[in-house]
Amino acid sequence: MDSWFYLPTVSDERPPMTNLPTYPDFTLTLSGNDWRQAEFINISKLCAVGEEVDEIKEVWINHSREFTDGVRSFHRLHIRRHIGAAELFIPLFELKALLKTHTLGSIALDDRPGFVKHGFALNTPTGYFYGLEENGVVKSLGVHTATGLADREIARLVKNFSLIYVHWCNCNILTP
């Protein structure tokens, strides 16, 4: 029997978990496949990002099919292995100020018990920004359930911190 996937790509990275939430205000629960699907990456990795996106496009072109209800499914799944860590160095207080939010939440994954170790989530009117931070420094940053209004926030982050924003499933790259 054929296997079909709803995403053309997933990250091979799974974050470490802990029993205690990092921040108490709320918990953002992600599916295991949502982890790093739309993320910010250090601009030094632009060539590697381009290569990964080319491989994902090949899955779109040669290994997918659209069903009658408008849903596209993928017969093959691309596992991103070349990107590694996002290699960000953003002060968390600057990120919070730019996004105009004060509440900090934790991250849970629906397929694993506990909370993402060093995980944080920020809730804005346009969606959730989440990632990993250590000692007040954001090391990785992703976006989840963003509305179209998040485009402005995403563009500001890309410009202010000289980052690349990649929406892996849609093969979209935004540069400063």
Side-chain angles (χ1 to χ4, degrees):
M1 178 164 192
D2 286 340
S3 293
W4 289 92
F5 306 97
Y6 289 103
L7 299 171
T9 181
V10 294
S11 172
D12 69 341
E13 175 200 327
R14 290 290 177 239
M17 305 299 282
T18 182
N19 290 331
L20 299 174
T22 309
Y23 295 103
D25 292 342
F26 65 94
T27 299
L28 171 64
T29 301
L30 301 172
S31 78
N33 290 334
D34 286 336
W35 183 254
R36 294 185 68 183
Q37 286 295 358
E39 67 176 327
F40 297 88
I41 297 177
N42 188 302
I43 197 161
S44 67
K45 296 187 169 207
L46 183 58
C47 289
V49 167
E51 290 171 9
E52 289 278 9
V53 166
D54 287 345
E55 291 177 21
I56 297 165
K57 285 179 182 177
E58 194 272 331
V59 171
W60 271 92
I61 294 166
N62 297 313
H63 302 283
S64 72
R65 139 180 164 197
E66 188 168 341
F67 290 91
T68 56
D69 57 2
V71 173
R72 181 167 293 275
S73 293
F74 300 88
H75 194 281
R76 194 179 112 212
L77 185 66
H78 174 73
I79 299 174
R80 300 187 310 273
R81 300 181 199 280
H82 307 294
I83 296 302
E87 296 182 7
L88 304 183
F89 194 86
I90 301 169
L92 182 57
F93 77 91
E94 286 185 31
L95 178 64
K96 286 173 54 181
L98 190 71
L99 294 174
K100 299 177 180 148
T101 186
H102 302 288
T103 58
L104 275 169
S106 294
I107 308 168
L109 299 178
D110 68 358
D111 60 348
R112 297 173 67 191
F115 301 91
V116 173
K117 188 175 184 178
H118 302 293
F120 74 93
L122 300 170
N123 187 6
T124 72
T126 64
Y128 292 96
F129 291 81
Y130 71 92
L132 301 175
E133 67 90 11
E134 292 182 36
N135 301 317
V137 176
V138 175
K139 302 294 187 173
S140 71
L141 181 62
V143 180
H144 183 66
T145 63
T147 67
L149 299 174
D151 292 347
R152 216 187 277 159
E153 289 175 329
I154 290 167
R156 276 199 329 244
L157 291 171
V158 165
K159 182 179 177 187
N160 286 354
F161 298 116
S162 296
L163 305 173
I164 303 167
Y165 173 73
V166 184
H167 192 294
W168 293 108
C169 292
N170 295 340
C171 298
N172 292 334
I173 303 171
L174 179 63
T175 59

